Amino acid sequence: MAIHIALAKGRIHKAVMKFLQESGYDFPTYTMDSRILIFEDATKSLKVTLVKSPDVAVYVERGAADVGIVGEDVLAEDSAGADVYEIYDLGIGRCRMAVAGIAGQKVDMTKRITIGTKYPRIARKYFEENHHSVDIVKLNGSVELAPIVGLSDVIVDIVETGNTLRANGLEVITYFMDFSARLICNPVSFKLKYDEIQKLIEAIKR
Ligand code: PRP
């Protein structure tokens, strides 16, 4: 039986496609810069779709894909409560969630502060657990701008290399969570396509 895998578009899909190609899968119509969003390997055993990261769990939960690969940060923020199995830690796409502010500027964390973030759920939980009262401004990207333009006191965002923070004159105040890319699976597919899914995991491991 063929497996359908939904990959989070961007860094994750590029890394995973490289793994799959190196472990023998041949995707005749795939190139790194192609705009094609759905393609199959030459033996038609694996179908891949490239979707926005918050949609990976939607595809898998509803059975539009058997499995998916997405960052654990996205699972925690956008897909909390989705009825999917998390079956494998790929160990790629490692990043940390951080509170960051303008370099050299002390932020009085005892006052009510404003947080700019793409991750309102994760940010609120962290500050609540630490008994800080905060206002959250939900942004959709380029979060590093928020303290610079006065939208927020600090940001909560993922840091991978730290280059984006440095390039924009920001620094980490504290790290508070680690994330990596996860393989998730539809519960029915997990039973029906168990062997095929194990084969896919072996290919990714190689
Ligand atoms: C993420 C994140 C940071 C950057 C961190 O943004 O929000 O901006 O990557 O990576 P670094 O530590 O390696 O610099 P993304 O690239 O997803 O773009 P976006 O801001 O448009 O969401």
Side-chain angles (χ1 to χ4, degrees):
M1 265 190 287
I3 303 191
H4 180 175
I5 181 167
L7 299 181
K9 245 196 302 185
R11 302 179 211 206
I12 287 184
H13 96 252
K14 288 178 183 168
V16 173
M17 288 306 292
K18 201 160 162 271
F19 282 173
L20 292 173
Q21 285 171 319
E22 283 169 5
S23 64
Y25 286 96
D26 171 29
F27 296 96
T29 58
Y30 172 77
T31 59
M32 189 112 93
D33 303 316
S34 163
R35 303 293 293 173
I36 300 175
L37 298 172
I38 183 162
F39 39 88
E40 265 180 326
D41 81 304
T43 67
K44 298 200 184 310
S45 62
L46 189 59
K47 183 158 78 176
V48 181
T49 45
L50 306 184
V51 306
K52 281 274 187 193
S53 52
D55 294 341
V56 172
V58 177
Y59 273 57
V60 173
E61 184 175 30
R62 292 180 166 264
D66 299 303
V67 291
I69 297 179
V70 62
E72 205 186 353
D73 53 325
V74 176
L75 291 177
E77 179 65 34
D78 301 292
S79 312
D83 183 17
V84 297
Y85 294 162
E86 207 178 295
I87 56 174
Y88 185 62
D89 178 355
L90 280 87
I92 59 163
R94 287 199 182 283
C95 52
R96 292 190 282 176
M97 194 62 73
V99 182
I102 294 178
Q105 264 184 33
K106 213 167 155 39
V107 180
D108 184 354
M109 298 293 253
T110 61
K111 292 209 178 111
R112 189 175 181 89
I113 55 169
T114 306
I115 318 291
T117 188
K118 288 187 284 191
Y119 299 93
R121 180 193 290 262
I122 291 172
R124 189 169 300 286
K125 187 162 178 280
Y126 169 72
F127 283 100
E128 273 175 10
E129 282 170 1
N130 288 279
H131 312 290
H132 286 305
S133 57
V134 294
D135 292 317
I136 294 194
V137 180
K138 160 82 165 79
L139 296 167
N140 293 292
S142 303
V143 174
E144 292 79 6
L145 288 172
I148 300 169
V149 300
L151 259 179
S152 72
D153 299 304
V154 296
I155 63 170
V156 165
D157 201 12
I158 54 165
V159 177
E160 192 177 357
T161 61
N163 289 339
T164 314
L165 287 182
R166 274 189 295 278
N168 292 287
L170 270 59
E171 66 184 6
V172 171
I173 298 170
T174 185
Y175 290 108
F176 65 93
M177 269 171 125
D178 293 331
F179 298 106
S180 57
R182 299 297 162 113
L183 182 69
I184 58 171
C185 186
N186 176 279
V188 176
S189 300
F190 189 72
K191 289 200 190 88
L192 292 180
K193 300 187 179 178
Y194 185 83
D195 291 342
E196 291 87 342
I197 290 168
Q198 296 309 317
K199 198 178 143 220
L200 177 68
I201 294 174
E202 287 308 317
I204 292 170
K205 274 188 191 164
R206 278 202 298 276

